[in-house]
Amino acid sequence: MVMLQLSAVVLLALVAPSLAGDADMLQDVCVADLASPIKLNGFPCKTHITADDFFFAGLKRSGNTNNAAGSNVTAANVQSFPGVNTLGVSMARIDYAPGGQNPPHTHPRATEIIFVLEGILEVGFITTANKLFTKTDTVGDVFVFPRGLVHFQQNRGRGPASFIAGFNSQLQGTQVIANTLFAAAPPVPSDVLAKAFRIDNSQVDAIKAKFM
Protein backbone atom coordinates (compact mmCIF):
# COMPACT_ATOMS: atom_id res chain seq x y z
CA MET A 1 0.00 0.00 0.00
CA VAL A 2 2.84 2.38 0.93
CA MET A 3 4.63 1.61 -2.36
CA LEU A 4 1.42 2.29 -4.28
CA GLN A 5 1.00 5.67 -2.57
CA LEU A 6 4.67 6.52 -3.20
CA SER A 7 4.29 5.62 -6.86
CA ALA A 8 1.26 7.90 -7.13
CA VAL A 9 3.18 10.80 -5.58
CA VAL A 10 6.10 10.29 -7.99
CA LEU A 11 3.73 10.13 -10.95
CA LEU A 12 2.02 13.36 -9.93
CA ALA A 13 5.40 15.05 -9.49
CA LEU A 14 6.41 14.05 -13.00
CA VAL A 15 3.13 15.16 -14.55
CA ALA A 16 2.80 18.48 -12.68
CA PRO A 17 5.34 20.46 -14.76
CA SER A 18 3.40 19.68 -17.93
CA LEU A 19 0.32 21.25 -16.36
CA ALA A 20 2.08 24.49 -15.47
CA GLY A 21 2.27 25.99 -18.97
CA ASP A 22 2.94 25.12 -22.59
CA ALA A 23 4.30 21.71 -23.53
CA ASP A 24 8.09 21.28 -23.52
CA MET A 25 9.89 21.85 -26.82
CA LEU A 26 11.39 18.81 -28.56
CA GLN A 27 13.91 20.66 -30.76
CA ASP A 28 16.01 23.84 -30.62
CA VAL A 29 13.52 25.98 -32.54
CA CYS A 30 10.15 25.57 -34.23
CA VAL A 31 9.12 28.82 -35.91
CA ALA A 32 5.35 28.71 -36.43
CA ASP A 33 4.12 28.15 -39.96
CA LEU A 34 0.95 30.23 -39.67
CA ALA A 35 -0.02 29.46 -43.27
CA SER A 36 -0.01 25.69 -42.84
CA PRO A 37 -3.37 23.94 -43.29
CA ILE A 38 -2.37 21.37 -40.67
CA LYS A 39 -4.32 21.75 -37.42
CA LEU A 40 -2.75 20.59 -34.18
CA ASN A 41 -2.22 21.69 -30.57
CA GLY A 42 0.03 24.62 -31.41
CA PHE A 43 1.53 25.33 -34.83
CA PRO A 44 3.67 23.22 -37.18
CA CYS A 45 7.26 24.29 -37.85
CA LYS A 46 8.41 26.31 -40.86
CA THR A 47 11.01 24.65 -43.04
CA HIS A 48 13.04 27.75 -43.88
CA ILE A 49 13.73 30.25 -41.09
CA THR A 50 15.78 33.43 -40.65
CA ALA A 51 16.76 35.77 -37.82
CA ASP A 52 13.71 37.89 -38.68
CA ASP A 53 11.47 35.09 -37.38
CA PHE A 54 12.89 35.73 -33.89
CA PHE A 55 12.49 39.52 -34.04
CA PHE A 56 9.45 41.69 -33.27
CA ALA A 57 9.40 45.50 -33.34
CA GLY A 58 5.73 46.05 -32.52
CA LEU A 59 6.05 46.99 -28.84
CA LYS A 60 8.11 50.14 -29.29
CA ARG A 61 5.15 52.28 -30.37
CA SER A 62 1.99 53.14 -28.43
CA GLY A 63 -1.31 51.77 -29.73
CA ASN A 64 -4.48 53.62 -30.71
CA THR A 65 -6.66 54.03 -27.61
CA ASN A 66 -9.53 55.80 -29.40
CA ASN A 67 -12.18 53.18 -28.63
CA ALA A 68 -14.91 52.44 -26.10
CA ALA A 69 -12.51 50.92 -23.57
CA GLY A 70 -9.89 53.62 -23.99
CA SER A 71 -7.13 51.02 -24.27
CA ASN A 72 -5.16 49.09 -26.86
CA VAL A 73 -3.38 45.73 -26.65
CA THR A 74 -0.41 45.07 -28.94
CA ALA A 75 0.37 41.36 -28.69
CA ALA A 76 3.75 39.73 -29.28
CA ASN A 77 2.49 36.16 -29.21
CA VAL A 78 2.88 33.33 -31.69
CA GLN A 79 0.20 34.76 -33.98
CA SER A 80 2.25 37.92 -34.60
CA PHE A 81 5.71 36.69 -33.54
CA PRO A 82 6.13 33.13 -34.93
CA GLY A 83 9.57 32.65 -33.38
CA VAL A 84 8.09 32.08 -29.92
CA ASN A 85 6.34 28.89 -31.08
CA THR A 86 7.08 26.06 -28.58
CA LEU A 87 9.11 28.42 -26.34
CA GLY A 88 6.34 28.98 -23.77
CA VAL A 89 6.70 32.78 -23.64
CA SER A 90 5.06 35.87 -25.12
CA MET A 91 4.64 39.57 -24.38
CA ALA A 92 2.22 42.42 -24.93
CA ARG A 93 2.06 46.17 -24.63
CA ILE A 94 -1.12 47.76 -23.28
CA ASP A 95 -1.73 51.49 -23.70
CA TYR A 96 -4.43 53.54 -21.96
CA ALA A 97 -6.05 56.88 -22.59
CA PRO A 98 -6.93 58.92 -19.46
CA GLY A 99 -9.69 56.92 -17.78
CA GLY A 100 -9.03 53.97 -20.09
CA GLN A 101 -9.62 50.41 -18.94
CA ASN A 102 -8.57 46.88 -19.77
CA PRO A 103 -11.89 45.34 -18.66
CA PRO A 104 -12.18 42.27 -16.43
CA HIS A 105 -10.81 39.28 -18.32
CA THR A 106 -8.90 36.03 -17.89
CA HIS A 107 -5.96 34.29 -19.55
CA PRO A 108 -6.78 30.57 -19.37
CA ARG A 109 -3.30 29.44 -20.45
CA ALA A 110 -0.90 31.81 -18.69
CA THR A 111 0.14 33.79 -15.66
CA GLU A 112 0.73 37.47 -16.52
CA ILE A 113 3.37 39.77 -15.05
CA ILE A 114 3.45 43.50 -15.87
CA PHE A 115 5.99 46.33 -15.72
CA VAL A 116 4.56 49.86 -15.76
CA LEU A 117 6.14 52.17 -18.35
CA GLU A 118 4.03 55.28 -17.84
CA GLY A 119 1.17 56.66 -15.78
CA ILE A 120 -0.86 55.53 -12.77
CA LEU A 121 -2.82 52.29 -12.98
CA GLU A 122 -5.18 50.57 -10.59
CA VAL A 123 -4.68 46.84 -11.13
CA GLY A 124 -6.26 43.85 -9.46
CA PHE A 125 -7.42 40.25 -9.60
CA ILE A 126 -10.18 38.25 -7.94
CA THR A 127 -9.64 34.77 -6.54
CA THR A 128 -12.07 31.86 -6.84
CA ALA A 129 -13.09 32.73 -3.26
CA ASN A 130 -14.20 36.17 -4.56
CA LYS A 131 -11.44 38.03 -2.74
CA LEU A 132 -10.09 41.12 -4.50
CA PHE A 133 -6.36 41.92 -4.46
CA THR A 134 -5.64 45.39 -5.86
CA LYS A 135 -2.82 47.96 -5.95
CA THR A 136 -2.14 51.33 -7.51
CA ASP A 137 0.96 50.95 -9.69
CA THR A 138 3.21 53.71 -11.03
CA VAL A 139 6.28 53.81 -13.29
CA GLY A 140 8.68 50.95 -12.59
CA ASP A 141 6.22 48.90 -10.52
CA VAL A 142 5.61 45.21 -11.17
CA PHE A 143 2.43 43.23 -10.54
CA VAL A 144 1.47 39.62 -11.27
CA PHE A 145 -1.91 38.10 -12.20
CA PRO A 146 -2.20 34.36 -11.51
CA ARG A 147 -3.18 32.12 -14.38
CA GLY A 148 -6.89 31.87 -15.09
CA LEU A 149 -8.07 34.43 -12.52
CA VAL A 150 -10.27 37.38 -13.49
CA HIS A 151 -8.23 40.62 -13.49
CA PHE A 152 -8.36 44.20 -14.75
CA GLN A 153 -6.43 47.46 -15.12
CA GLN A 154 -7.77 51.02 -15.01
CA ASN A 155 -5.90 54.25 -15.76
CA ARG A 156 -6.31 56.46 -12.67
CA GLY A 157 -4.04 59.26 -13.86
CA ARG A 158 -4.77 62.43 -15.81
CA GLY A 159 -2.47 61.43 -18.67
CA PRO A 160 -1.84 58.31 -20.73
CA ALA A 161 -0.53 55.09 -19.19
CA SER A 162 1.13 51.94 -20.48
CA PHE A 163 2.85 48.75 -19.39
CA ILE A 164 4.66 45.74 -20.81
CA ALA A 165 3.25 42.30 -19.95
CA GLY A 166 4.95 38.92 -19.99
CA PHE A 167 3.21 35.54 -20.22
CA ASN A 168 4.40 31.98 -19.68
CA SER A 169 2.64 30.80 -22.84
CA GLN A 170 3.16 31.39 -26.54
CA LEU A 171 -0.57 32.13 -26.82
CA GLN A 172 -2.13 33.04 -23.48
CA GLY A 173 -5.72 33.29 -24.66
CA THR A 174 -7.91 36.19 -23.54
CA GLN A 175 -11.53 35.95 -22.48
CA VAL A 176 -13.16 39.32 -21.73
CA ILE A 177 -15.99 38.65 -19.29
CA ALA A 178 -18.53 41.16 -20.61
CA ASN A 179 -17.95 40.17 -24.25
CA THR A 180 -18.12 36.48 -23.39
CA LEU A 181 -21.51 36.83 -21.72
CA PHE A 182 -23.18 39.54 -23.78
CA ALA A 183 -21.63 39.18 -27.23
CA ALA A 184 -21.36 35.40 -27.67
CA ALA A 185 -22.42 33.88 -30.99
CA PRO A 186 -24.91 32.31 -30.86
CA PRO A 187 -26.03 34.46 -27.92
CA VAL A 188 -26.37 33.24 -24.36
CA PRO A 189 -30.15 33.12 -23.67
CA SER A 190 -31.27 36.36 -22.03
CA ASP A 191 -33.22 34.54 -19.32
CA VAL A 192 -30.04 32.69 -18.30
CA LEU A 193 -28.18 35.97 -17.84
CA ALA A 194 -31.17 37.64 -16.22
CA LYS A 195 -31.33 34.96 -13.55
CA ALA A 196 -27.56 34.98 -13.03
CA PHE A 197 -27.42 38.76 -12.59
CA ARG A 198 -30.83 39.06 -10.90
CA ILE A 199 -32.15 41.53 -13.44
CA ASP A 200 -34.93 41.53 -16.05
CA ASN A 201 -34.64 40.08 -19.56
CA SER A 202 -35.16 43.57 -20.98
CA GLN A 203 -32.13 44.83 -19.08
CA VAL A 204 -30.04 41.97 -20.45
CA ASP A 205 -31.19 42.77 -23.98
CA ALA A 206 -30.27 46.42 -23.46
CA ILE A 207 -26.76 45.41 -22.39
CA LYS A 208 -26.42 43.02 -25.34
CA ALA A 209 -27.35 45.85 -27.70
CA LYS A 210 -24.29 47.80 -26.53
CA PHE A 211 -22.04 44.94 -27.68
CA MET A 212 -23.59 44.48 -31.11
Side-chain angles (χ1 to χ4, degrees):
M1 184 64 178
V2 173
M3 287 300 296
L4 181 61
Q5 292 174 331
L6 180 60
S7 298
V9 170
V10 172
L11 179 61
L12 287 172
L14 291 173
V15 171
S18 68
L19 301 177
D22 293 357
D24 289 338
M25 55 198 294
L26 299 177
Q27 60 279 312
D28 288 344
V29 297
C30 176
V31 174
D33 184 355
L34 301 178
S36 173
I38 300 172
K39 301 299 181 184
L40 43 77
N41 184 25
F43 296 90
C45 308
K46 283 173 59 175
T47 303
H48 303 291
I49 63 175
T50 70
D52 286 340
D53 290 311
F54 303 96
F55 174 80
F56 183 79
L59 302 187
K60 64 176 68 174
R61 292 177 295 274
S62 59
N64 182 9
T65 59
N66 185 23
N67 53 58
S71 65
N72 184 86
V73 178
T74 303
N77 58 40
V78 69
Q79 292 178 322
S80 58
F81 187 14
V84 303
N85 192 41
T86 76
L87 301 184
V89 295
S90 61
M91 299 180 72
R93 172 179 176 142
I94 299 87
D95 294 286
Y96 301 83
Q101 178 191 82
N102 193 6
H105 62 282
T106 71
H107 301 301
R109 295 186 289 273
T111 290
E112 176 182 4
I113 188 166
I114 67 170
F115 176 85
V116 179
L117 299 174
E118 178 185 15
I120 302 169
L121 289 158
E122 181 180 357
V123 304
F125 66 86
I126 303 99
T127 70
T128 56
N130 297 324
K131 182 174 177 58
L132 172 65
F133 291 87
T134 184
K135 289 284 289 184
T136 298
D137 286 0
T138 58
V139 177
D141 288 341
V142 173
F143 196 83
V144 67
F145 305 101
R147 174 182 175 180
L149 295 186
V150 175
H151 59 284
F152 63 89
Q153 302 98 29
Q154 178 94 24
N155 184 357
R156 294 301 189 190
R158 296 182 178 179
S162 62
F163 66 74
I164 295 292
F167 303 93
N168 64 332
S169 172
Q170 67 180 32
L171 188 60
Q172 74 282 2
T174 300
Q175 191 167 36
V176 180
I177 305 304
N179 296 56
T180 297
L181 295 175
F182 297 102
V188 178
S190 292
D191 63 326
V192 171
L193 296 175
K195 188 172 184 65
F197 286 97
R198 301 174 187 175
I199 58 178
D200 296 329
N201 285 13
S202 60
Q203 293 173 293
V204 172
D205 293 335
I207 297 172
K208 284 183 176 180
K210 296 179 183 295
F211 289 88
M212 296 292 286

Coordinates of all heavy atoms in Angstrom, one line a residue, residues 141-178:
D141 N 6.8 49.9 -11.4 CA 6.2 48.9 -10.5 C 5.9 47.6 -11.3 O 5.7 47.7 -12.5 CB 4.9 49.4 -9.9 CG 5.2 50.4 -8.8 OD1 6.3 50.5 -8.3 OD2 4.2 51.2 -8.5
V142 N 5.9 46.5 -10.6 CA 5.6 45.2 -11.2 C 4.4 44.6 -10.4 O 4.3 44.7 -9.2 CB 6.8 44.3 -11.1 CG1 6.5 42.9 -11.5 CG2 8.0 44.9 -11.9
F143 N 3.6 43.9 -11.2 CA 2.4 43.2 -10.5 C 2.2 41.9 -11.3 O 2.5 41.9 -12.5 CB 1.2 44.1 -10.6 CG 0.1 43.7 -9.7 CD1 0.1 44.0 -8.3 CD2 -1.0 42.9 -10.1 CE1 -0.9 43.6 -7.5 CE2 -2.0 42.5 -9.3 CZ -2.0 42.8 -7.9
V144 N 1.7 40.9 -10.6 CA 1.5 39.6 -11.3 C 0.0 39.2 -11.1 O -0.6 39.4 -10.1 CB 2.4 38.5 -10.7 CG1 2.1 38.2 -9.3 CG2 2.4 37.3 -11.6
F145 N -0.5 38.6 -12.2 CA -1.9 38.1 -12.2 C -1.8 36.6 -12.4 O -1.4 36.1 -13.4 CB -2.7 38.7 -13.3 CG -2.7 40.2 -13.4 CD1 -1.9 40.9 -14.2 CD2 -3.6 40.9 -12.5 CE1 -1.9 42.3 -14.2 CE2 -3.6 42.3 -12.5 CZ -2.7 43.0 -13.3
P146 N -2.3 35.8 -11.4 CA -2.2 34.4 -11.5 C -3.0 33.8 -12.7 O -4.1 34.4 -13.0 CB -2.8 33.9 -10.2 CG -2.5 35.0 -9.2 CD -2.7 36.2 -10.1
R147 N -2.5 32.8 -13.2 CA -3.2 32.1 -14.4 C -4.7 31.8 -14.1 O -5.0 31.3 -13.1 CB -2.5 30.8 -14.7 CG -3.1 29.9 -15.8 CD -2.3 28.7 -15.9 NE -2.9 27.8 -16.9 CZ -2.4 26.6 -17.2 NH1 -1.3 26.2 -16.7 NH2 -3.1 25.8 -18.1
G148 N -5.5 32.2 -15.1 CA -6.9 31.9 -15.1 C -7.8 32.7 -14.2 O -9.0 32.6 -14.3
L149 N -7.2 33.6 -13.4 CA -8.1 34.4 -12.5 C -8.5 35.7 -13.2 O -7.8 36.3 -14.0 CB -7.3 34.8 -11.2 CG -7.0 33.6 -10.3 CD1 -6.4 34.1 -9.0 CD2 -8.2 32.7 -10.0
V150 N -9.7 36.1 -12.9 CA -10.3 37.4 -13.5 C -9.4 38.6 -13.0 O -9.2 38.7 -11.8 CB -11.7 37.6 -13.1 CG1 -12.3 38.9 -13.6 CG2 -12.6 36.4 -13.7
H151 N -9.0 39.5 -13.9 CA -8.2 40.6 -13.5 C -8.5 41.8 -14.4 O -9.2 41.7 -15.4 CB -6.7 40.3 -13.5 CG -6.2 39.8 -14.8 ND1 -6.4 38.6 -15.3 CD2 -5.5 40.5 -15.8 CE1 -5.8 38.5 -16.5 NE2 -5.2 39.6 -16.8
F152 N -8.0 43.0 -14.0 CA -8.4 44.2 -14.7 C -7.3 45.2 -14.5 O -6.4 45.1 -13.6 CB -9.7 44.8 -14.3 CG -9.7 45.2 -12.8 CD1 -9.3 46.5 -12.4 CD2 -10.1 44.2 -11.8 CE1 -9.3 46.8 -11.1 CE2 -10.0 44.6 -10.5 CZ -9.6 45.9 -10.1
Q153 N -7.3 46.3 -15.3 CA -6.4 47.5 -15.1 C -7.2 48.7 -15.5 O -8.0 48.7 -16.5 CB -5.1 47.4 -16.0 CG -4.3 46.2 -15.7 CD -4.5 45.1 -16.8 OE1 -4.8 45.4 -17.9 NE2 -4.3 43.9 -16.4
Q154 N -7.1 49.8 -14.7 CA -7.8 51.0 -15.0 C -6.8 52.2 -14.8 O -6.1 52.3 -13.8 CB -8.9 51.2 -14.0 CG -9.7 52.5 -14.2 CD -10.9 52.3 -15.0 OE1 -11.5 51.2 -15.2 NE2 -11.4 53.4 -15.6
N155 N -6.8 53.1 -15.8 CA -5.9 54.2 -15.8 C -6.5 55.2 -14.8 O -7.6 55.8 -15.0 CB -5.7 54.9 -17.1 CG -4.8 56.1 -17.1 OD1 -4.2 56.5 -16.1 ND2 -4.5 56.6 -18.3
R156 N -5.8 55.5 -13.7 CA -6.3 56.5 -12.7 C -5.6 57.8 -12.8 O -5.9 58.7 -12.0 CB -6.1 55.9 -11.3 CG -6.9 54.6 -11.0 CD -8.4 54.9 -11.1 NE -9.2 53.8 -10.6 CZ -10.5 53.7 -10.8 NH1 -11.2 54.6 -11.4 NH2 -11.2 52.7 -10.3
G157 N -4.7 58.0 -13.7 CA -4.0 59.3 -13.9 C -4.7 60.2 -14.8 O -5.7 59.9 -15.5
R158 N -4.2 61.4 -14.9 CA -4.8 62.4 -15.8 C -4.2 62.3 -17.2 O -4.7 62.9 -18.2 CB -4.5 63.8 -15.2 CG -5.2 64.1 -13.9 CD -5.0 65.5 -13.4 NE -5.7 65.7 -12.2 CZ -5.6 66.9 -11.5 NH1 -4.9 67.9 -12.0 NH2 -6.3 67.0 -10.4
G159 N -3.1 61.6 -17.4 CA -2.5 61.4 -18.7 C -2.5 60.0 -19.1 O -3.1 59.1 -18.5
P160 N -1.9 59.7 -20.2 CA -1.8 58.3 -20.7 C -1.1 57.4 -19.8 O -0.3 57.8 -19.0 CB -1.2 58.4 -22.1 CG -0.3 59.7 -22.0 CD -1.1 60.6 -21.1
A161 N -1.2 56.1 -20.0 CA -0.5 55.1 -19.2 C -0.2 53.9 -20.1 O -0.9 53.7 -21.1 CB -1.4 54.6 -18.0
S162 N 0.8 53.1 -19.7 CA 1.1 51.9 -20.5 C 2.0 51.0 -19.6 O 2.6 51.4 -18.7 CB 1.9 52.3 -21.8 OG 3.1 52.9 -21.4
F163 N 2.0 49.7 -20.0 CA 2.8 48.7 -19.4 C 3.2 47.6 -20.4 O 2.5 47.5 -21.4 CB 2.3 48.2 -18.1 CG 1.0 47.3 -18.3 CD1 1.1 46.0 -18.8 CD2 -0.2 47.8 -17.8 CE1 -0.1 45.2 -18.9 CE2 -1.4 47.0 -18.0 CZ -1.3 45.7 -18.5
I164 N 4.3 46.9 -20.1 CA 4.7 45.7 -20.8 C 4.3 44.5 -20.0 O 4.5 44.5 -18.8 CB 6.2 45.7 -21.1 CG1 6.6 46.9 -22.0 CG2 6.6 44.4 -21.7 CD1 6.0 46.7 -23.4
A165 N 3.7 43.5 -20.6 CA 3.2 42.3 -20.0 C 4.0 41.1 -20.5 O 4.3 41.1 -21.7 CB 1.8 42.1 -20.1
G166 N 4.3 40.2 -19.6 CA 5.0 38.9 -20.0 C 4.0 37.8 -19.6 O 3.4 37.8 -18.6
F167 N 4.1 36.7 -20.4 CA 3.2 35.5 -20.2 C 4.1 34.3 -20.3 O 5.0 34.2 -21.2 CB 2.1 35.5 -21.3 CG 1.2 36.7 -21.3 CD1 1.5 37.7 -22.2 CD2 0.1 36.8 -20.5 CE1 0.7 38.8 -22.2 CE2 -0.7 37.9 -20.5 CZ -0.5 38.9 -21.4
N168 N 3.7 33.3 -19.6 CA 4.4 32.0 -19.7 C 3.7 31.0 -20.6 O 3.4 29.9 -20.3 CB 4.6 31.3 -18.3 CG 3.3 31.0 -17.6 OD1 2.3 31.6 -17.9 ND2 3.3 30.0 -16.8
S169 N 3.3 31.6 -21.8 CA 2.6 30.8 -22.8 C 2.9 31.5 -24.1 O 2.9 32.8 -24.2 CB 1.1 30.7 -22.6 OG 0.5 30.1 -23.7
Q170 N 3.0 30.8 -25.2 CA 3.2 31.4 -26.5 C 1.9 32.0 -27.0 O 1.9 32.9 -27.9 CB 3.6 30.3 -27.6 CG 2.6 29.3 -27.9 CD 3.1 28.3 -28.9 OE1 4.3 28.0 -28.9 NE2 2.2 27.7 -29.7
L171 N 0.7 31.6 -26.5 CA -0.6 32.1 -26.8 C -1.5 32.0 -25.6 O -2.1 31.0 -25.4 CB -1.1 31.3 -28.0 CG -2.4 31.9 -28.6 CD1 -2.2 33.3 -29.2 CD2 -2.9 31.0 -29.8
Q172 N -1.5 33.1 -24.8 CA -2.1 33.0 -23.5 C -3.6 32.9 -23.5 O -4.2 32.4 -22.6 CB -1.8 34.3 -22.7 CG -2.5 35.6 -23.1 CD -1.9 36.2 -24.4 OE1 -1.0 35.7 -25.0 NE2 -2.5 37.4 -24.7
G173 N -4.3 33.3 -24.6 CA -5.7 33.3 -24.7 C -6.3 34.4 -23.8 O -5.8 34.7 -22.7
T174 N -7.3 35.1 -24.3 CA -7.9 36.2 -23.5 C -9.4 36.1 -23.7 O -10.0 36.0 -24.8 CB -7.5 37.6 -24.1 OG1 -6.0 37.7 -23.9 CG2 -8.1 38.7 -23.3
Q175 N -10.1 36.0 -22.5 CA -11.5 35.9 -22.5 C -12.0 37.1 -21.7 O -11.9 37.2 -20.4 CB -12.0 34.6 -21.9 CG -13.5 34.3 -22.0 CD -13.8 32.9 -21.7 OE1 -13.2 32.3 -20.8 NE2 -14.8 32.3 -22.4
V176 N -12.6 38.1 -22.4 CA -13.2 39.3 -21.7 C -14.6 39.0 -21.2 O -15.4 38.5 -22.0 CB -13.2 40.5 -22.7 CG1 -13.8 41.7 -22.0 CG2 -11.8 40.8 -23.3
I177 N -14.8 39.1 -19.9 CA -16.0 38.6 -19.3 C -17.3 39.2 -19.9 O -18.2 38.5 -20.3 CB -16.0 38.9 -17.8 CG1 -14.7 38.4 -17.1 CG2 -17.2 38.4 -17.1 CD1 -14.4 36.9 -17.3
A178 N -17.3 40.5 -20.1 CA -18.5 41.2 -20.6 C -18.8 40.7 -22.0 O -19.9 40.3 -22.4 CB -18.4 42.7 -20.6

